[in-house]
């Protein structure tokens, strides 16, 4: 562990994260229409207590290409995140501009978003998803390339011939995050040997994600009280093999010191292709 990590260890939040197991389980994730719920099949889970460091207090600047994630900020217009047409009309253009600034990409192609809520009653009413638990990365080498081909079939072969990345942008809706925040691992502490491939099926689509095996070297960060004017950009795939961050591990986690009046988490995550 680095000197910086040792110095900040005593101030880190300690939380239990859910990892995959290496006991021969076959993992499979099935998403039901309209993708409000899903089910894991054959998914053994091992829970481990991990230190989660305050990214706002970390002594070095945390960046997308070095650590795999980066905090950006900028106000948004008023957006109804339950209205897909409104989100695409107002949110997508605003995030495209911010994504170009963060990634340095010449072209951004935003392809979907997911709204989540921490209150089960609100989820049923809004028909949105819960916070995603379980340490994972959303794409594998195979599924990242397949996703590009599915989304941009006429351009795919040309685009696959140069560097591209899949990036997520995660933001609070309406109020700051007081419960179930997202934590993201420093990409430099993640090895491909930590990954377990998970086939993922949804109506009309077959994909693949990575769940993670426990590794005590994983170093997790979070941004306390993330506000609606802030967005965390993090990589879930980068085709570059020149030493920069290629993917991260991430999960929602339960804040051990969240008070009884902490607001349920309300968030939106957006997925985009970045072309260089």
């Amino acid at each position: 562990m680095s000197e910086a990590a040792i110095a900040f260890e005593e101030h880190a939040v300690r939380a239990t994260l859910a990892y995959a197991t290496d006991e021969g389980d076959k993992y499979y994730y099935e998403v039901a229409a309209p993708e409000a719920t899903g089910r894991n099949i054959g998914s053994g889970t091992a829970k481990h207590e991990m230190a989660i460091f305050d990214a706002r207090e970390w002594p070095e600047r945390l960046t997308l290409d070095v650590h795999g994630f980066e905090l950006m900020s900028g106000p948004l217009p008023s957006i109804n995140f339950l209205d897909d047409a409104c989100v695409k009309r107002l949110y997508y253009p605003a995030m495209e501009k911010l994504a170009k600034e963060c990634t340095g990409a010449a072209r951004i192609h935003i392809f979907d978003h997911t709204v989540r809520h921490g209150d089960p009653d609100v989820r049923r009413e809004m028909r949105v998803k819960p916070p995603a638990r379980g340490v994972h990365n959303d794409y594998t080498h195979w599924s990242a390339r397949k996703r590009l081909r599915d989304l941009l079939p006429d351009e795919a072969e040309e685009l696959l011939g140069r560097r591209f990345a899949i990036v997520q942008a995660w933001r609070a809706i309406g109020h700051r995050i007081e419960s179930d925040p997202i934590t993201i691992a420093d990409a430099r502490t993640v090895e491909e040997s930590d990954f377990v491939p998970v086939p993922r099926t949804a109506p009309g689509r077959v994909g693949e994600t990575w769940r993670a095996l426990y590794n005590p070297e994983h170093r997790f960060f979070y941004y306390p009280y993330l506000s609606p004017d802030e967005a965390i950009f993090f990589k879930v795939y980068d085709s570059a093999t020149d030493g920069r961050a290629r993917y991260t591990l991430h999960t929602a986690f339960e804040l051990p010191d969240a008070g009884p009046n902490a607001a349920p988490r309300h968030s939106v995550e957006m997925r985009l292709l970045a072309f260089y």
Side-chain angles (χ1 to χ4, degrees):
M1 184 179 290
S2 69
E3 291 183 6
I6 293 171
F8 279 80
E9 177 91 29
E10 62 182 280
H11 302 293
V13 168
R14 301 203 69 86
T16 300
L17 305 185
Y19 280 91
T21 66
D22 58 357
E23 299 171 350
D25 289 336
K26 296 293 186 181
Y27 289 89
Y28 181 79
Y29 188 74
E30 182 180 83
V31 183
E35 298 200 331
T37 58
R39 62 179 183 143
N40 288 298
I41 301 170
S43 52
T45 297
K47 294 185 177 181
H48 293 272
E49 185 180 86
M50 302 292 286
I52 301 179
F53 295 94
D54 184 340
R56 298 190 190 276
E57 298 296 328
W58 196 251
E60 64 177 323
R61 181 169 172 257
L62 299 167
T63 66
L64 191 69
D65 272 347
V66 175
H67 305 88
F69 62 94
E70 187 167 342
L71 184 68
M72 303 292 289
S73 61
L76 292 174
S78 178
I79 297 169
N80 176 5
F81 282 96
L82 297 181
D83 181 341
D84 281 353
C86 180
V87 173
K88 291 175 181 178
R89 185 178 70 254
L90 297 177
Y91 190 51
Y92 281 26
M95 290 302 287
E96 179 180 353
K97 180 178 179 182
L98 204 59
K100 280 188 174 180
E101 182 182 344
C102 181
T103 64
R107 175 185 172 188
I108 298 293
H109 178 81
I110 297 170
F111 59 88
D112 74 11
H113 68 278
T114 301
V115 175
R116 301 183 187 271
H117 204 285
D119 186 311
D121 293 330
V122 174
R123 286 200 298 271
R124 282 190 289 271
E125 179 183 349
M126 291 183 174
R127 294 177 63 80
V128 298
K129 290 187 175 184
R133 301 188 186 277
V135 182
H136 69 286
N137 184 75
D138 292 59
Y139 288 89
T140 67
H141 298 296
W142 173 78
S143 63
R145 297 170 69 85
K146 182 178 185 296
R147 194 68 170 126
L148 192 160
R149 286 192 174 100
D150 290 345
L151 291 165
L152 300 168
D154 295 338
E155 303 176 74
E157 293 313 310
E158 177 199 349
L159 294 172
L160 286 168
R162 51 195 172 96
R163 181 189 168 206
F164 77 96
I166 304 180
V167 178
Q168 292 192 190
W170 197 94
R171 179 190 292 273
I173 296 175
H175 56 78
R176 70 181 190 175
I177 299 294
E178 298 179 357
S179 58
D180 297 320
I182 191 172
T183 179
I184 305 171
D186 184 339
R188 299 171 301 177
T189 69
V190 177
E191 303 289 342
E192 279 200 36
S193 57
D194 299 332
F195 295 147
V196 176
V198 181
R200 183 184 188 277
T201 64
R205 185 160 64 90
V206 176
E208 186 178 60
T209 65
W210 273 321
R211 284 195 67 184
L213 301 171
Y214 171 67
N215 183 338
E217 296 302 313
H218 293 161
R219 184 185 302 151
F220 283 91
F221 291 87
Y222 85 114
Y223 291 89
Y225 301 118
L226 194 78
S227 79
D229 284 344
E230 297 176 306
I232 307 171
F233 285 81
F234 60 96
K235 286 188 189 179
V236 289
Y237 187 76
D238 194 325
S239 66
T241 57
D242 57 1
R244 72 185 75 221
R246 300 192 68 194
Y247 23 69
T248 57
L249 294 174
H250 54 280
T251 179
F253 74 99
E254 185 175 341
L255 275 173
D257 57 353
N261 297 319
R265 189 242 268 191
H266 194 194
S267 65
V268 58
E269 67 220 41
M270 168 177 284
R271 296 166 189 87
L272 58 93
L273 285 158
F275 299 106
Y276 297 85

